[in-house]
Amino acid sequence: MRPPAPMHPDDDRLLELAYGEASTSEARALRQHVDGCARCRHVLEDIAEVRSAFRSVPAEPAPERGLESLLAYGEQAAARARSRRGGLRVLALLSAATAFSVVWLVLPAPQRPSDGLAHAPATPPTDALAQAEVRAAPAQGDRARDEVDDRAKDSKEKEALPEAKSERSRKEQTVTERRLPAELPKQKALSKVDAPAEPPKLSRAPSDGEAAGRAAAATDLSGALGSATASGGKVGGAGAGTAGPPSVAMKKRSAGTRADEGSTGAAARPASPPASVVAQAPPAPAGALDARTAEAAKIAAAPMAEAVASEDKTASASGVAASAPARNAAKPAPTMQAMRMGAGSPEKQARLGEIRKELETATGDRRKALLLEKCEIEASLQLGPDAVLTCSTVTREFPGTPEAKRAGELARGFSVQPPAQDDR
Amino acid sequence: MRRFQRGDARAFPELVRRHRAAVFAFVLRWTQDRARAEDILQETWLKVVRASSDWSPRARFTTWLYTIARNACVDGARRERARAAEPLVTEPVSTEAHDPERAAAASELRPVLEAAIAALPDAQREVFLLREMAGIPFHEIARMTGAPEPTVKSRMRYALEALRTRLTAAGIDAPAGGQVA
């Protein structure tokens, strides 16, 4: 009688063992088997030989070309990220302050502290977000502590915000119901309709009747602002929709828009919120935020979400990447910038299309001229990455020519400018 | 990467310094063409910058980075095929090793190895390079490429076998030190 054939492990298991992907217990069992099995040992040795041969050939060094422009582009992106973070903090602070002021004005006089608004700034803010923002900024240069601080702050804000809003809302609800029990439904209905269009008048003291209406409106407003603050990237949508008081917030926003459109340089622009963030529906209001707040915020966010979603479509239509990560990577900043351009850009875009088509077959001087023209158009349209790529193609393919020199200058034009607001 | 997302200007050069050469080597072995590899390298890093806000710490940065590079390679190959350009000429590869013995061995081995890698079917070359050069585990390669994990492993085994056969046929013995990981 012949001895039973030895049970060899699956070749996939041996592969996992060779690449260190087998679990500890499995690896131990496999090794025990391999020690006594010539066939499996041979399989492992073959794998090891190929790996060893592959590793003995040193890798090619990466080229220096394009490195400088790449680093400049990265620095520019970092500056934009800093600027965006700074902008969001300021906006959060303003939103919290506005919400606080509205609530303060709406509160009936007997419930206020004796000196009223004159002493208001000295009062610690009741809003948790405002408290968090008012705290002293961490020292520059200590990034680790800054990160830990920020994370703690974020989570604290997230935890505290619904409670603060809930408390505030309960208070307002009690006051409103005590004063005008009969008129409440009517006032609520009115405030739902009027709140976005008619800002509460902050300049004079409210009468009793107005107070109730404002209380409801304030609940809407502070809720919307609160949720916008908590959600960070969604500030644009919700803030735009409340359209209310908040001249400060509105001024801030319009100033940001102007800076975005103006010629202050790419670094000074507040970056647009990512499409994935803005396109999401506003978060479901927590705690005391009622359905009206959610509805108002949704309505307010819709145009922004649509605009950004359409940019995404445009970007993906023009992109070349096929799979998901590459599609994400090819996303929209350039298209966004192109959309901001004034008159003349459609012609330039059309010309770009023609050039791209012609470049597929053009060679020699014609190719050189087309590439330079493409580079110039992309630079004029502020299509930073595309311009850098095209310009570096000119310098690489036609080194030492005047066109290469010009392309180099254009690529360098996308240098970094100091951000408008630094991260504090 | 997290620092870069937060706007730390020093983080990006650090990322580039750590990974650019490796990504270039990966792309070069994939494309077998230096000029194309340079373009794809640049394109990859520009995409990294543009998509930096999409990166989540849940994913390993290298996996994310090589996914972008791999997709750029696939797209580049697709464009090249569509363009049906003239046959590509691979530039002679410089020997940069400082150790003369190693340099000599590498100069003998490199052309054989490069040719053997170039001769692999695309799917096998992809898996081999992602595992061997980028160090991406098989299950992640499966996710990146959309192929089942057992398929990825069998592609890897076929690639290793083919390379081994080529090296043996060229009379090249594996350098000393070959051992199981």
Side-chain angles (χ1 to χ4, degrees):
Chain A
M1 189 174 165
R2 288 193 311 191
M7 287 291 288
H8 297 295
D10 189 337
D11 281 353
D12 283 358
R13 301 283 88 74
L14 292 176
L15 192 67
E16 286 174 359
L17 179 67
Y19 280 89
E21 290 190 24
S23 67
T24 316
S25 57
E26 197 181 10
R28 196 180 307 123
L30 285 169
R31 280 185 195 286
Q32 274 177 359
H33 171 84
V34 168
D35 285 345
C37 176
R39 182 249 174 210
C40 292
R41 195 166 52 242
H42 185 67
V43 170
L44 281 183
E45 282 169 2
D46 280 356
I47 294 174
E49 277 184 26
V50 175
R51 296 191 71 189
S52 179
F54 187 76
R55 288 179 177 186
S56 69
V57 177
E60 280 280 289
E64 290 300 309
R65 266 176 293 186
L67 181 58
E68 201 180 328
S69 56
L70 175 67
L71 292 178
Y73 184 53
E75 204 175 324
Q76 195 178 351
R80 267 202 302 273
R82 270 201 309 277
S83 160
R84 185 171 54 228
R85 281 172 59 79
L88 283 177
R89 284 181 180 204
V90 170
L91 199 56
L93 183 59
L94 287 173
S95 303
T98 309
F100 178 74
S101 322
V102 171
V103 171
W104 184 270
L105 287 175
V106 165
L107 273 180
Q111 290 198 355
R112 290 183 198 162
S114 56
D115 286 332
L117 285 174
H119 288 174
T123 311
T126 54
D127 191 304
L129 182 61
Q131 281 178 347
E133 291 294 344
V134 162
R135 263 188 277 150
Q140 290 279 346
D142 193 349
R143 275 198 310 279
R145 201 180 56 201
D146 185 26
E147 278 188 23
V148 171
D149 254 357
D150 279 0
R151 268 187 227 128
K153 194 189 290 181
D154 287 347
S155 60
K156 208 171 175 182
E157 286 167 11
K158 278 177 191 162
E159 285 166 14
L161 202 57
E163 288 175 21
K165 281 188 289 195
S166 169
E167 176 66 27
R168 191 191 312 141
S169 186
R170 268 199 303 276
K171 207 185 241 179
E172 289 160 8
Q173 183 89 12
T174 314
V175 171
T176 310
E177 283 173 2
R178 197 183 61 225
R179 294 203 158 237
L180 288 171
E183 288 183 26
L184 185 62
K186 189 178 165 190
Q187 290 291 351
K188 276 189 177 177
L190 280 175
S191 69
K192 181 178 176 182
V193 175
D194 294 344
E198 191 180 325
K201 297 179 182 72
L202 301 177
S203 54
R204 61 186 178 88
S207 68
D208 281 357
E210 286 170 324
R214 276 183 213 157
T219 310
D220 279 354
L221 177 64
S222 59
L225 285 171
S227 63
T229 309
S231 60
K234 299 170 184 89
V235 165
T242 47
S247 50
V248 196
M250 292 300 288
K251 274 177 192 166
K252 178 74 194 166
R253 180 170 164 71
S254 60
T257 311
R258 276 196 302 277
D260 206 309
E261 289 164 354
S263 57
T264 51
R269 286 182 202 131
S272 310
S276 55
V277 175
V278 179
Q280 288 168 2
L289 286 183
D290 57 20
R292 289 171 300 147
T293 308
E295 198 179 345
K298 201 181 283 179
I299 291 165
M304 175 71 84
E306 277 171 23
V308 178
S310 73
E311 283 163 15
D312 271 353
K313 278 180 198 163
T314 316
S316 61
S318 64
V320 289
S323 55
R327 267 201 306 275
N328 287 341
K331 263 197 299 193
T335 316
M336 187 87 162
Q337 286 165 335
M339 286 175 68
R340 292 189 191 111
M341 289 304 299
S345 60
E347 288 81 4
K348 286 180 179 175
Q349 294 286 1
R351 178 63 189 143
L352 269 181
E354 289 168 12
I355 293 174
R356 278 194 202 104
K357 203 173 282 179
E358 208 176 331
L359 271 174
E360 287 176 6
T361 51
T363 54
D365 284 350
R366 181 64 187 150
R367 179 173 171 78
K368 184 170 59 177
L370 285 170
L371 279 171
L372 181 62
E373 188 182 352
K374 183 166 180 274
C375 167
E376 283 173 337
I377 293 176
E378 284 166 348
S380 72
L381 289 174
Q382 291 294 307
L383 301 174
D386 295 337
V388 169
L389 200 57
T390 308
C391 295
S392 65
T393 307
V394 177
T395 54
R396 196 185 58 245
E397 290 189 13
F398 306 99
T401 60
E403 286 83 355
K405 194 179 167 196
R406 168 76 181 133
E409 285 166 4
L410 285 168
R412 276 193 296 278
F414 286 95
S415 59
V416 183
Q417 295 182 17
Q421 287 168 325
D422 206 351
D423 194 5
R424 290 185 184 180
Chain B
M1 188 62 189
R2 195 164 173 75
R3 278 170 48 204
F4 178 52
Q5 278 183 325
R6 294 169 60 86
D8 184 343
R10 286 168 299 180
F12 186 67
E14 180 65 22
L15 280 176
V16 170
R17 189 189 63 75
R18 274 192 212 164
H19 298 287
R20 191 163 175 267
V23 172
F24 179 68
F26 170 80
V27 174
L28 181 59
R29 287 227 159 97
W30 184 304
T31 60
Q32 303 287 317
D33 180 270
R34 181 171 258 281
R36 268 173 60 200
E38 287 181 10
D39 283 348
I40 290 175
L41 177 72
Q42 191 76 347
E43 189 182 331
T44 299
W45 281 99
L46 290 175
K47 284 178 177 174
V48 165
V49 174
R50 281 188 226 166
S52 57
S53 60
D54 294 345
W55 177 77
S56 145
R58 279 173 298 178
R60 277 174 55 193
F61 173 71
T62 46
T63 304
W64 184 73
L65 171 65
Y66 280 95
T67 302
I68 292 176
R70 178 248 175 204
N71 289 339
C73 287
V74 170
D75 291 340
R78 199 175 292 146
R79 280 198 300 267
E80 280 301 313
R81 273 197 293 272
R83 196 176 294 172
E86 63 274 14
L88 300 169
V89 180
T90 308
E91 288 179 19
V93 183
S94 64
T95 306
E96 66 286 342
H98 297 299
D99 178 357
E101 273 186 36
R102 196 176 169 211
S107 66
E108 184 191 359
L109 180 58
R110 187 191 285 273
V112 177
L113 195 61
E114 301 286 359
I117 291 171
L120 290 175
D122 287 352
Q124 290 177 24
R125 184 167 64 240
E126 171 181 72
V127 173
F128 177 77
L129 293 178
L130 285 171
R131 185 62 192 86
E132 197 60 56
M133 295 192 73
I136 297 175
F138 293 119
H139 70 273
E140 286 188 16
I141 296 176
R143 216 167 42 207
M144 284 167 71
T145 58
E149 192 175 339
T151 307
V152 167
K153 286 176 182 164
S154 54
R155 284 176 185 168
M156 185 70 181
R157 282 192 285 106
Y158 287 134
L160 288 165
E161 268 173 40
L163 293 174
R164 165 90 188 143
T165 307
R166 281 254 183 173
L167 291 174
T168 308
I172 292 175
D173 292 326
Q179 55 187 346
V180 177

